[in-house]
Amino acid sequence: MKIKIQICLIQKLSIIWLKSCHSHCRFKSRGRPTAPLGSRILTDPARVFEHNMWDHMQWTEAEVAAAKKKALENSSPRVPHQEQVKYEKEASKYWDQFYRTHKNKFFKDRNWLFTEFPEILPYRKVTQLDEENKSNEIRNVCTLSSESKTLYSQKSVQGTCGHFETPIVTSSDSTRKHKSNKTSNGTHCMTQNTFPIVIGNGQDPVESEMTDDRNASFRIFEVGCGAGNTLFPILNAIGNESGIFLYCSDFSKEAVDLVKLHSCYNPACCYTFVHDVCDETQPFPFPDGSIDVILLVFMLSSVLPERMPYVITRLAHALKPGGKILFRDYGRHDLSQLRFKKGHCLFDNFYVRGDGTRVYFFTKDEIHNIFTSAGLNEIQNVRDKRLQVNRRKKVAMQRVWIQAKYQKPEQHS
């Protein structure tokens, strides 16, 4: 009993000491995580420029009113109907041009995925990552300084054409190291397996390329994979572990080509294909009821709002009983919505950027209605409000995202 009391006392004193020396680490218990969406709370406005991001921000009534006013102002005049039809019909062309221009250098890898969505990997692998993160945090807790740089460049904070996806920044992101090999250019990459891809899984494939997931016990499907900013952190985390297979789709051929040309792409455990999830004539390369986890990360917002319920219903059919959809996207009155100039609004809360790509800004209620109407049970649905800080320019920016998890009901005999 005395030993337990002493250990608890040491833990409490350690936390007090770490806080007093203003360490940049986030204080977590043994759980994953202690508080969803981070735990760095701004209690003293005078300290706002001490960090790059503050979590769980509470807006004042004046800030809410100003955001609503700004969104109302930039929602008119509307883009003419003829141009709206063009943006819908040629959507893939605009995204092709986006990736042709920016390649894989626009968005940063989403290494925060494993903190917010531990469901991505089976329990044993998640536990292993937890232990690695704890060890790294212990080694680095006393060496982190106030000059440590954020993982994410200002380009991802203030991207061109209104692209404002900014991933979650945590201390474990900067210290996480997965078991991997290094390529000649220094990129961490999983070891390439030598066995060939042999046959399909019994259903006509989307492309002539065939895939073999017969030995997989856990299947992940990412819709809207882009240049692989979600895929490659997962592949690196998997390493040589067998039994996990990833499907990744995007309706931009340029994006899919970028993924396949990446030095860490491994067709032995991943199949990437061009696909429009809104088009019911395009089949998936796997049968219904075969996917454990579906990732929708900054993807659904680019879909025409009237088609969103169909997309989620279709994806729900692909899930195994008990399978989950993990969702993160732009929230209503996010900074990127308020920065649109007049003449870019297609209709309520749906905008076209300067490069022709489109984006919608969600509320929690909208997400709840779309997903539960598809027969899914809500596990999480939160409005993630953060204060993003440019310490060099002394600018603070209000960010809003929606993060949610929905599960397909288990089958009971």
Side-chain angles (χ1 to χ4, degrees):
M1 180 65 71
K2 287 184 178 180
I3 294 176
K4 289 184 178 180
I5 294 174
Q6 288 175 348
I7 292 174
C8 290
L9 180 60
I10 291 171
Q11 288 177 337
K12 289 181 179 179
L13 290 174
S14 297
I15 291 175
I16 292 172
W17 178 79
L18 289 169
K19 288 181 178 180
S20 67
C21 67
H22 305 293
S23 170
H24 282 223
C25 74
R26 296 192 179 193
F27 302 97
K28 296 182 181 180
S29 69
R30 294 172 186 144
R32 286 184 57 86
T34 53
L37 312 172
S39 55
R40 182 179 290 137
I41 310 300
L42 179 63
T43 56
D44 180 3
R47 299 180 57 196
V48 65
F49 294 111
E50 290 184 10
H51 297 287
N52 297 312
M53 189 81 74
W54 296 94
D55 308 318
H56 305 284
M57 295 299 299
Q58 299 299 314
W59 289 22
T60 66
E61 292 184 3
E63 288 172 329
V64 172
K68 289 181 178 179
K69 180 181 179 182
K70 183 63 178 176
L72 183 63
E73 289 175 352
N74 71 17
S75 64
S76 62
R78 302 291 174 90
V79 174
H81 177 72
Q82 185 176 358
E83 292 185 34
Q84 292 192 30
V85 173
K86 181 192 72 171
Y87 289 126
E88 170 65 16
K89 186 177 180 180
E90 301 178 2
S92 62
K93 184 187 79 171
Y94 290 111
W95 281 108
D96 277 339
Q97 184 57 51
F98 174 85
Y99 288 108
R100 198 175 294 121
T101 300
H102 299 288
K103 304 297 182 184
N104 60 355
K105 304 184 185 302
F106 193 85
F107 300 117
K108 297 296 182 179
D109 283 349
R110 297 162 179 154
N111 293 305
W112 52 266
L113 284 166
F114 308 105
T115 300
E116 296 300 333
F117 296 141
E119 298 90 344
I120 291 174
L121 298 178
Y123 173 77
R124 184 166 64 86
K125 198 68 180 178
V126 170
T127 303
Q128 177 185 336
L129 289 175
D130 266 346
E131 294 304 319
E132 291 177 4
N133 292 343
K134 288 177 184 177
S135 298
N136 286 326
E137 286 183 358
I138 291 171
R139 283 196 300 270
N140 288 278
V141 69
C142 295
T143 60
L144 290 170
S145 67
S146 60
E147 282 110 33
S148 61
K149 295 180 181 179
T150 179
L151 280 176
Y152 305 105
S153 66
Q154 188 62 25
K155 184 176 181 181
S156 67
V157 176
Q158 294 181 335
T160 58
C161 306
H163 292 273
F164 271 76
E165 175 199 337
T166 304
I168 301 170
V169 180
T170 68
S171 63
S172 58
D173 287 338
S174 60
T175 58
R176 179 181 291 115
K177 295 180 181 178
H178 304 305
K179 292 181 178 179
S180 59
N181 291 338
K182 275 192 176 182
T183 61
S184 58
N185 62 5
T187 304
H188 283 278
C189 178
M190 62 176 290
T191 303
Q192 296 290 324
N193 292 319
T194 57
F195 59 85
I197 300 173
V198 284
I199 61 172
N201 60 359
Q203 188 171 349
D204 291 338
V206 175
E207 298 175 347
S208 58
E209 175 183 351
M210 304 300 273
T211 181
D212 183 12
D213 70 346
R214 292 173 301 170
N215 297 323
S217 58
F218 193 85
R219 296 175 179 84
I220 302 170
F221 177 33
E222 183 191 5
V223 186
C225 64
N229 300 107
T230 294
L231 168 64
F232 293 115
I234 296 176
L235 286 180
N236 282 333
I238 292 173
N240 288 323
E241 178 143 347
S242 60
I244 304 174
F245 196 90
L246 286 84
Y247 291 95
C248 301
S249 73
D250 201 288
F251 77 158
S252 167
K253 185 178 183 302
E254 292 286 336
V256 170
D257 288 344
L258 286 171
V259 170
K260 291 183 175 181
L261 291 172
H262 195 284
S263 60
C264 290
Y265 184 70
N266 186 358
C269 62
C270 179
Y271 177 56
T272 306
F273 55 101
V274 179
H275 187 266
D276 183 358
V277 71
C278 297
D279 187 350
E280 61 185 6
T281 66
Q282 296 185 21
F284 290 132
F286 46 77
D288 284 349
S290 62
I291 302 297
D292 294 274
V293 168
I294 293 176
L295 288 167
L296 281 178
V297 181
F298 295 99
M299 175 271 164
L300 194 64
S301 55
S302 65
V303 173
L304 192 68
E306 65 188 44
R307 295 189 176 186
M308 292 178 185
Y310 166 76
V311 169
I312 301 305
T313 298
R314 187 180 186 191
L315 294 177
H317 290 155
L319 284 173
K320 289 179 180 178
K324 297 176 182 177
I325 296 181
L326 308 179
F327 172 90
R328 186 172 176 84
D329 220 317
Y330 298 101
R332 188 71 47 84
H333 301 145
D334 177 57
L335 174 69
S336 56
Q337 178 181 12
L338 304 184
R339 284 194 169 182
F340 273 106
K341 298 188 185 319
K342 292 185 177 183
H344 285 263
C345 186
L346 300 164
F347 43 87
D348 288 346
N349 305 299
F350 193 44
Y351 298 79
V352 60
R353 302 182 179 99
D355 60 4
T357 61
R358 299 170 302 171
V359 59
Y360 187 82
F361 297 89
F362 295 96
T363 65
K364 285 175 54 179
D365 289 343
E366 288 172 339
I367 293 301
H368 174 83
N369 293 335
I370 292 172
F371 281 79
T372 56
S373 296
L376 301 173
N377 296 329
E378 185 174 287
I379 298 174
Q380 181 191 58
N381 184 2
V382 293
R383 191 166 181 248
D384 182 10
K385 294 183 292 185
R386 301 188 181 221
L387 189 67
Q388 192 170 355
V389 177
N390 183 328
R391 290 189 282 177
R392 183 173 62 86
K393 295 183 177 180
K394 300 298 182 184
V395 175
M397 301 163 281
Q398 297 280 12
R399 304 309 310 273
V400 183
W401 297 286
I402 303 294
Q403 182 166 301
K405 303 177 184 180
Y406 287 86
Q407 185 172 32
K408 188 172 184 175
E410 298 276 3
Q411 289 182 342
H412 299 288
S413 57

